[in-house]
Amino acid sequence: MNKNVGSTDRLIRLIAGVILLIIAVPSLAGMAFVGLGGWAWLVGLIGVALVATGLLNFCGAYALLGINTCKTGQ
């Protein structure tokens, strides 16, 4: 599995993913400060996907589309 997510892209994914999880988890636990309703699961899944791709430095969608933001391309 070649890395295809660069450092800036990785940082943006990690920050965005954590923010989405901070929004979704309280909503799923019934302590909502943001009324997401049924959308909380989708927001949570997107957050998990962003954090996972940020930690792994690999994005499946990038691989399918031939995008590579990683300078080394290891």
Side-chain angles (χ1 to χ4, degrees):
M1 179 167 60
N2 293 334
K3 293 181 181 181
N4 62 1
V5 175
S7 59
T8 304
D9 192 4
R10 178 177 188 245
L11 182 63
I12 292 169
R13 287 171 183 266
L14 289 171
I15 292 171
V18 168
I19 290 170
L20 289 177
L21 287 172
I22 288 171
I23 292 170
V25 169
S27 183
L28 291 171
M31 303 177 300
F33 55 88
V34 176
L36 293 177
W39 292 98
W41 287 103
L42 180 62
V43 172
L45 287 174
I46 293 170
V48 168
L50 287 173
V51 170
T53 57
L55 291 175
L56 296 174
N57 287 353
F58 178 79
C59 177
Y62 276 14
L64 289 174
L65 297 172
I67 299 171
N68 187 350
T69 61
C70 184
K71 289 187 174 112
T72 59
Q74 298 173 351

